[in-house]
């Protein structure tokens, strides 16, 4: 089943986000290579493609896991969690309709 994973950034975490980014992307690339990633990306903190020093308010991942518990475990193991970028994460089932 598909799951939405939303990570919410804390305040002033842009440097920590940048430091953990390669590890974070490696996990997403692995999901993509397994055909289990629908989409992923950050949410700019301001209305701009490149938010600059404003950074990001969080990230969104839609990926396939065998269960809600597996999706939560994957989210909890994210390098952004370990680095203190995300102050909280939410994981919910997702039903893909379009495209």
């Amino acid at each position: 089943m598909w799951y939405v994973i939303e990570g919410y950034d804390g305040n002033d975490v842009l440097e920590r986000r940048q430091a953990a980014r390669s590890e974070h992307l490696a996990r997403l690339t692995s999901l993509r290579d397994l055909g289990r990633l629908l989409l992923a990306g950050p949410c700019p903190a301001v209305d701009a493609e490149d938010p600059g020093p404003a950074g990001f308010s969080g990230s969104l991942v839609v990926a396939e896991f065998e269960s809600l518990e597996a999706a939560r475990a994957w989210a909890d193991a994210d390098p952004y969690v370990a680095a203190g970028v995300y102050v909280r994460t939410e994981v919910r089932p997702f039903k893909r309709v379009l495209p």
Side-chain angles (χ1 to χ4, degrees):
M1 181 161 184
W2 294 102
Y3 295 88
V4 172
I5 300 170
E6 289 182 272
Y8 296 87
D9 285 22
N11 294 322
D12 302 315
V13 296
L14 185 57
E15 286 183 25
R16 284 184 263 170
R17 178 183 263 275
Q18 291 168 335
R21 186 171 188 263
S22 63
E23 291 178 71
H24 172 78
L25 289 178
R27 297 177 80 234
L28 292 169
T29 299
S30 178
L31 283 178
R32 181 202 64 198
D33 292 349
L34 293 169
R36 296 175 39 204
L37 182 65
L38 184 60
L39 65 90
C43 301
V46 295
D47 189 14
E49 184 79 19
D50 179 358
F56 300 90
S57 62
S59 302
L60 176 76
V61 174
V62 180
E64 188 174 39
F65 294 93
E66 56 274 2
S67 67
L68 179 59
E69 293 77 21
R72 284 185 176 140
W74 188 91
D76 289 345
D78 194 291
Y80 283 173
V81 171
V85 175
Y86 293 158
V87 293
R88 70 183 168 95
T89 58
E90 293 183 9
V91 181
R92 299 185 308 278
F94 177 78
K95 182 176 177 176
R96 182 179 179 183
V97 175
L98 293 171

